[in-house]
Amino acid sequence: MAFISSGYNPDKPMENRITDIGPRSFEEFYPPVIKKNKGAWDYHEIVKPGVLKHVGLSGDVVYTVRVGAARLMSVTHIREICEIAEKHCGGHLRFTTRNNVEFMVETEAALDGLLADLASRKFAGGSFKFPVGGTGACVSNIVHTQGYVHCHTPATDASGPVKAVMDDMFEYFQSMTLPAMVRISLACCLNMCGAVHCSDIGIVGIHRKPPIVEHDRLDNICEVPLAISACPTGAIKPAKVEIDGKKVNSVAVNASRCMYCGNCYTMCPAMPLASGEGDGIVLMVGGKVSNRISMPKFSKVVVAFIPNEPPRWPTLTKMVKQIVEVYAKEARKYERLGEWAERIGWEKFFELCDLEFTHHCIDDFRDPAYYTWRQSTQFKFTKHIEA
Amino acid sequence: MAKHQTPLLDQLETGPWPSFVSDIKQEAAHRAANPDGVDYQIPVDCPSDLLGVLELSFKDKETHWKHGGIVGVFGYGGGVIGRYCDQPEMFPGVAHFHTVRLAQPSGKYYTADYLRGIMDIWDLRGSGLTNMHGSTGDIVLLGTTTPQLEEIFFDVTHKMNTDLGGSGGNLRTPADCLGQSRCEFACYDTQDLCHTLTNDYQDELHRPAFPYKFKFKFDGCPNGCVASIARSDFSVIGTWKSDIRIDQDRVKAYVAGEFKPGGGSHAGRDWGKFDIVKEVVDRCPTGCMSYDGAKLSIDNANCTRCMHCINTMPAAVKIGEETGASILLGAKAPILDGAQMSSLLVPFVVVEKPYDEIKEVIENIWDWWMEEGKNRERVGETMKRLSFQKLLEVTNIKAMPQHVKEPRSNPYIFFKEEEVPGGFEHDEAAYRQRHMR
Ligand code: SF4
Ligand code: SF4
Ligand code: SF4
Ligand code: SF4
């Protein structure tokens, strides 16, 4: 390999330097029909799952084909996306917030050609490259984080569980049979880069062991006061530890106060807490961000721990499917998962979905916990109450 | 022959959903074959080694990435995340594997030309693997070595007229929904506002001066497609003030079945004939709609703009003409003290270039948070610690009932000294004259 210079001169870093220019302007990228009708769209229809038709006040029409994608994408795959955009869409395309790709065309003939082309493309392993779906009352693509692919704090993987869950949810991605949209998100630790706390189904990686404390190097590589102040529960105290007859500064962790958030590890690499046997997934459901009918809601913990079972996470996928299927059967039209659970009551939700209610599901974290307990005699009798 | 055996990952190649494993393998094969004769500037086999390290993680159920190191480009405090493998001898191709974040165009519209240009740079100087896109919105280029960072920065700025995104304690790359570009519900131009603020605040984006990260997200309407209320410190959500517009002829067309409810959003199941009273009027959360068999009416003064009627009959029922946005503040993930959504701060603001009114709110908040915020404290936590009242004070906003879901239910009220006649001082002598000890 021969080093190829971009033109950057390390001796004069400011020479020809361009900074603070921000992103390219969106105006450069709009397809012509979008540019022309911006701010003047009349209405839309979903022609079939994954195909939107927007009609402008001008009478113009644009068809959008939404395809699912793995967020992790290669240069080769993106070049193929570009090739499709050039072949069918005048070289334009867009990505959605939920990692879908959208191709836009203006005529039904072009739409048919595009759909046929997309359907024909598969990866060598057999999976679809461009599955069409993700519109209306469906399970759309999963918003997720890095996992084992590229982060230092995950308690589970991201791409693996997402692939496994979406394989299982595929029929719901490609149809519109649910009472309302179901938004699934995954975050591989409590940092929640993906902020999944308001999702219909949130899959969250959690650790379950307090951190290891590497006394022999902690004081050398970490600021002890920073590590101590990083802990939200005050579980970390300064400590003197003897190593080879020498007293060194370190910390001690009060295991019973630790909730395994990993914040100390973020501040101090000598406090790792990942553990193959300890780590796993918590399942949270019933959140939403839309204001439709009811206000936005937080997701609630319904399964406190699911072990990591790579490569296909069978317990996780089974539980997600179980919840989606019961919801599909029981909820009313337009009712989001959380709205349904609130209408029937969470005790009923646990019974119908056949999920075990454990003590972990009762909030005990600070003041807000009290407001989730039941200050009422109104409840439903379910199998949980023994005669 | 694959460089590493990946029996676990191979099981993720089956099933209908696009397989990231197949895609990485495709890239590994492409680099090995090198049909375009690229003089790869980082190890050719990094996609293979990424599969190798991932396979090991699947086996161990633990990540093999170390704590990031501080790497970056000259003059910027963010945009690059240092990443090192903890098994560099087994996987030398990914021993140093830093992430580069690029600022995505608002609305995430692209041309093939532009994307290809970015990909050519990344093919030459990086792993050939990306995230489209990161959780915050950036184009994420996944894995390169330290000597390539300045080269990549030089190439993307010079050839692609594109800058890095944010990371660390600074403004993160703002993101928006597609808004007016293709959505009839949008109440303002999300793309223009997002792009303008991103450019106006480049200094805050590249040079960390904040206690912690700060995110802007822009939703065009209360449907919240970019989840700003959950995923951004500063959430701008489109809304309107004037009456919802109703086209009564089209309402009749929905009732007659000529338009499908929700544009066909529920067409996959037989839910029976569209029933406007049951599905729209009775589901209105404020009970402010009525239908007399011919005409749909809305008592607009009691509508909370939830979008249900509009979503259900998009051709007939439309947002009011006097549009703007609500500003909410303080969403964050659970670390440290529990998850938060943004809370309503400005019920209505007109969204017009050059957006001075919005920028004034932003800058007042930043001044306060940079002064009062603790290290690694999100603004939502500062609000909780110092009170909503304090936030109102620093933003010069008057308290109003819209700020709360309900008034407080405890009487532990902090009065300001000037609100109490005579201040906090007692006249002790006079008190004792009235009351014997
Ligand atoms: S959620 Fe946590 S583990 Fe996952 S990518 Fe973000 S910080 Fe890393
Ligand atoms: S993991 Fe979290 S709760 Fe436990 S010691 Fe570290 S910072 Fe404290
Ligand atoms: S948030 Fe509203 S305006 Fe924006 S894309 Fe979604 S529905 Fe349309
Ligand atoms: S927007 Fe919501 S609250 Fe307003 S009339 Fe329609 S359904 Fe009722």
Side-chain angles (χ1 to χ4, degrees):
Chain A
M1 182 269 280
F3 188 84
I4 299 174
S5 169
S6 58
Y8 170 73
N9 178 356
D11 299 326
K12 295 187 186 147
M14 292 314 289
E15 194 177 83
N16 286 329
R17 196 172 189 81
I18 299 176
T19 69
D20 297 82
I21 53 172
R24 281 278 279 270
S25 168
F26 54 93
E27 306 256 14
E28 301 174 46
F29 298 132
Y30 284 152
V33 62
I34 295 291
K35 187 171 248 172
K36 179 175 163 213
N37 292 280
K38 182 173 175 178
W41 293 103
D42 185 1
Y43 66 94
H44 76 277
E45 282 169 18
I46 306 172
V47 187
K48 53 183 155 187
V51 182
L52 300 159
K53 175 185 178 185
H54 284 86
V55 181
L57 293 167
S58 65
D60 288 353
V61 167
V62 63
Y63 295 94
T64 302
V65 177
R66 184 173 292 167
V67 304
R71 185 183 92 150
L72 202 174
M73 264 183 204
S74 72
V75 163
T76 303
H77 189 64
I78 294 169
R79 284 177 177 151
E80 187 168 344
I81 291 172
C82 292
E83 175 214 317
I84 294 169
E86 266 166 358
K87 196 163 143 201
H88 300 275
C89 317
H92 294 271
L93 68 138
R94 75 174 287 270
F95 286 80
T96 73
T97 306
R98 305 196 71 86
N99 310 320
N100 297 304
V101 184
E102 289 184 343
F103 296 105
M104 285 157 275
V105 292
E106 290 174 47
T107 64
E108 273 185 53
L111 174 66
D112 293 341
L114 172 61
L115 289 172
D117 189 354
L118 293 169
S120 72
R121 295 173 190 251
K122 287 186 165 189
F123 283 110
S127 64
F128 288 104
K129 280 180 171 169
F130 305 105
V132 176
T135 54
C138 72
V139 173
S140 192
N141 200 348
I142 298 182
V143 167
H144 67 90
T145 51
Q146 297 278 29
Y148 299 151
V149 167
H150 212 230
C151 193
H152 65 296
T153 58
T156 187
D157 185 36
S159 304
V162 163
K163 161 76 174 147
V165 169
M166 283 312 291
D167 276 343
D168 236 34
M169 290 287 111
F170 197 66
E171 58 169 302
Y172 293 110
F173 175 78
Q174 294 210 304
S175 62
M176 302 188 290
T177 56
L178 295 170
M181 57 172 80
V182 172
R183 293 292 183 249
I184 307 180
S185 315
L186 179 146
C188 35
C189 86
L190 295 178
N191 272 327
M192 277 195 194
C193 300
V196 311
H197 53 281
C198 297
S199 308
D200 295 280
I201 300 183
I203 301 168
V204 182
I206 53 161
H207 302 287
R208 288 190 307 168
K209 292 191 186 203
I212 298 167
V213 182
E214 295 175 313
H215 297 298
D216 60 330
R217 65 172 194 144
L218 190 139
D219 196 30
N220 295 330
I221 59 167
C222 312
E223 304 260 1
V224 169
L226 279 187
I228 290 170
S229 66
C231 180
T233 65
I236 308 177
K237 295 223 153 49
K240 288 247 188 255
V241 183
E242 214 175 276
I243 292 178
D244 303 329
K246 263 186 27 202
K247 285 233 184 253
V248 297
N249 290 322
S250 188
V251 299
V253 174
N254 178 347
S256 65
R257 290 182 78 157
C258 176
M259 44 92 167
Y260 338 107
C261 70
N263 209 46
C264 50
Y265 179 56
T266 301
M267 300 309 288
C268 173
M271 299 181 73
L273 71 170
S275 157
E277 54 187 11
D279 298 349
I281 283 168
V282 56
L283 206 53
M284 306 181 68
V285 311
K288 69 187 193 90
V289 293
S290 153
N291 286 275
R292 186 175 190 172
I293 303 181
S294 63
M295 290 189 192
K297 300 176 198 303
F298 287 114
S299 313
K300 323 279 190 285
V301 171
V302 295
V303 183
F305 187 75
I306 301 171
N308 279 325
E309 299 167 321
R312 296 206 70 106
W313 277 264
T315 309
L316 170 70
T317 54
K318 188 175 143 252
M319 282 182 165
V320 169
K321 188 155 199 171
Q322 204 166 304
I323 292 169
V324 170
E325 279 176 353
V326 176
Y327 160 73
K329 188 164 145 264
E330 300 283 334
R332 296 175 183 166
K333 192 177 180 186
Y334 305 118
E335 212 167 39
R336 291 286 287 267
L337 207 156
E339 292 170 328
W340 163 64
E342 282 175 11
R343 174 171 60 80
I344 62 171
W346 285 98
E347 65 274 42
K348 208 74 193 163
F349 170 88
F350 276 89
E351 183 172 74
L352 286 170
C353 292
D354 199 18
L355 297 172
E356 194 191 352
F357 187 89
T358 65
H359 66 91
H360 310 104
C361 299
I362 300 174
D363 196 352
D364 57 358
F365 193 73
R366 303 201 171 150
D367 276 5
Y370 166 82
Y371 300 100
T372 65
W373 305 341
R374 193 178 302 242
Q375 290 90 26
S376 170
T377 54
Q378 294 189 17
F379 60 83
K380 292 184 180 173
F381 283 98
T382 59
K383 64 174 185 191
H384 303 95
I385 298 176
E386 283 154 35
Chain B
M1 244 301 279
K3 184 173 174 193
H4 304 281
Q5 291 302 305
T6 53
L8 293 173
L9 288 174
D10 294 350
Q11 295 175 53
L12 287 173
E13 289 201 85
T14 53
W17 190 251
S19 168
F20 69 100
V21 176
S22 299
D23 194 12
I24 301 175
K25 285 188 178 177
Q26 151 174 291
E27 195 59 27
H30 176 82
R31 281 172 84 102
N34 194 8
D36 307 322
V38 177
D39 193 359
Y40 293 113
Q41 298 291 293
I42 76 162
V44 176
D45 53 3
C46 53
S48 307
D49 276 353
L50 185 68
L51 285 173
V53 73
L54 192 56
E55 178 77 12
L56 185 65
S57 280
F58 270 40
K59 204 166 128 253
D60 293 344
K61 300 190 238 178
E62 287 168 8
T63 190
H64 283 284
W65 299 101
K66 286 205 265 194
H67 236 264
I70 298 173
V71 289
V73 300
F74 185 78
Y76 279 10
V80 181
I81 323 290
R83 191 61 76 219
Y84 302 91
C85 183
D86 70 9
Q87 292 292 355
E89 275 148 37
M90 283 162 83
F91 310 106
V94 296
H96 296 215
F97 210 61
H98 312 317
T99 299
V100 180
R101 292 183 182 167
L102 298 185
Q104 85 288 358
S106 297
K108 298 195 175 97
Y109 284 92
Y110 292 99
T111 56
D113 270 353
Y114 174 79
L115 267 185
R116 275 219 189 87
I118 300 279
M119 291 310 120
D120 288 347
I121 295 169
W122 192 237
D123 198 18
L124 176 70
R125 303 194 179 280
S127 66
L129 301 171
T130 75
N131 285 158
M132 297 296 285
H133 297 73
S135 305
T136 305
D138 307 88
I139 300 169
V140 172
L141 303 177
L142 212 59
T144 191
T145 58
T146 311
Q148 288 302 315
L149 295 173
E150 288 289 356
E151 307 298 327
I152 289 164
F153 181 64
F154 199 92
D155 269 349
V156 294
T157 50
H158 285 76
K159 291 187 186 158
M160 304 311 300
N161 192 14
T162 296
D163 209 335
L164 299 190
S167 64
N170 57 10
L171 177 64
R172 299 302 183 84
T173 316
D176 58 344
C177 78
L178 59 70
Q180 292 180 333
S181 71
R182 207 191 63 206
C183 183
E184 67 269 29
F185 303 151
C187 302
Y188 67 94
D189 188 346
T190 50
Q191 256 103 83
D192 194 65
L193 179 60
C194 182
H195 186 73
T196 304
L197 294 187
T198 306
N199 282 302
D200 288 357
Y201 293 124
Q202 282 289 297
D203 194 31
E204 286 78 2
L205 198 149
H206 294 303
R207 295 171 194 89
F210 291 156
Y212 203 15
K213 58 182 126 177
F214 196 94
K215 299 186 184 183
F216 292 154
K217 283 202 191 324
F218 305 95
D219 277 309
C221 83
N223 279 332
C225 295
V226 290
S228 67
I229 201 166
R231 301 179 70 177
S232 61
D233 299 84
F234 191 88
S235 324
V236 182
I237 304 177
T239 195
W240 65 92
K241 238 182 181 170
S242 53
D243 292 357
I244 289 178
R245 290 169 290 158
I246 306 175
D247 179 332
Q248 299 292 350
D249 290 336
R250 282 184 171 178
V251 171
K252 289 196 188 82
Y254 273 100
V255 173
E258 291 157 32
F259 283 111
K260 284 191 224 155
S265 58
H266 289 69
R269 194 201 293 193
D270 182 9
W271 291 95
K273 192 175 169 295
F274 175 60
D275 182 338
I276 188 169
V277 172
K278 202 170 131 225
E279 295 185 39
V280 182
V281 175
D282 290 353
R283 300 305 303 274
C284 167
T286 60
C288 71
M289 301 186 95
S290 57
Y291 181 69
D292 64 5
K295 186 167 176 257
L296 183 71
S297 314
I298 296 177
D299 169 10
N300 279 277
N302 282 304
C303 163
T304 51
R305 302 169 310 287
C306 82
M307 297 297 296
H308 176 62
C309 55
I310 298 171
N311 287 336
T312 310
M313 300 192 289
V317 185
K318 303 193 169 206
I319 58 167
E321 261 167 346
E322 194 187 343
T323 58
S326 303
I327 298 174
L328 297 85
L329 192 72
K332 57 176 275 293
I335 297 266
L336 297 165
D337 204 13
Q340 286 176 225
M341 279 190 244
S342 287
S343 301
L344 182 67
L345 177 63
V346 181
F348 188 82
V349 62
V350 177
V351 185
E352 263 170 14
K353 274 179 194 285
Y355 310 119
D356 285 341
E357 219 178 317
I358 295 172
K359 288 174 72 173
E360 190 186 326
V361 180
I362 293 169
E363 287 163 25
N364 281 333
I365 292 167
W366 280 349
D367 284 347
W368 171 64
W369 180 51
M370 286 163 74
E371 179 81 26
E372 299 284 346
K374 296 184 186 170
N375 183 32
R376 283 171 63 82
E377 185 178 68
R378 294 285 286 270
V379 74
E381 293 166 309
T382 314
M383 276 162 73
K384 260 173 86 179
R385 186 166 57 81
L386 298 177
S387 81
F388 198 83
Q389 284 86 336
K390 193 71 206 171
L391 174 67
L392 293 177
E393 209 178 294
V394 301
T395 47
N396 304 311
I397 294 167
K398 212 169 117 279
M400 52 193 129
Q402 285 80 1
H403 284 136
V404 294
K405 278 188 199 145
E406 57 186 36
R408 68 196 300 158
S409 49
N410 65 65
Y412 306 145
I413 305 161
F414 291 105
F415 284 96
K416 293 193 177 115
E417 185 159 14
E418 62 270 22
E419 289 174 331
V420 183
F424 288 163
E425 291 303 311
H426 290 262
D427 183 340
E428 193 183 328
Y431 180 86
R432 278 297 159 220
Q433 251 180 1
R434 296 193 298 274
H435 308 276
M436 286 195 294
R437 281 207 205 213

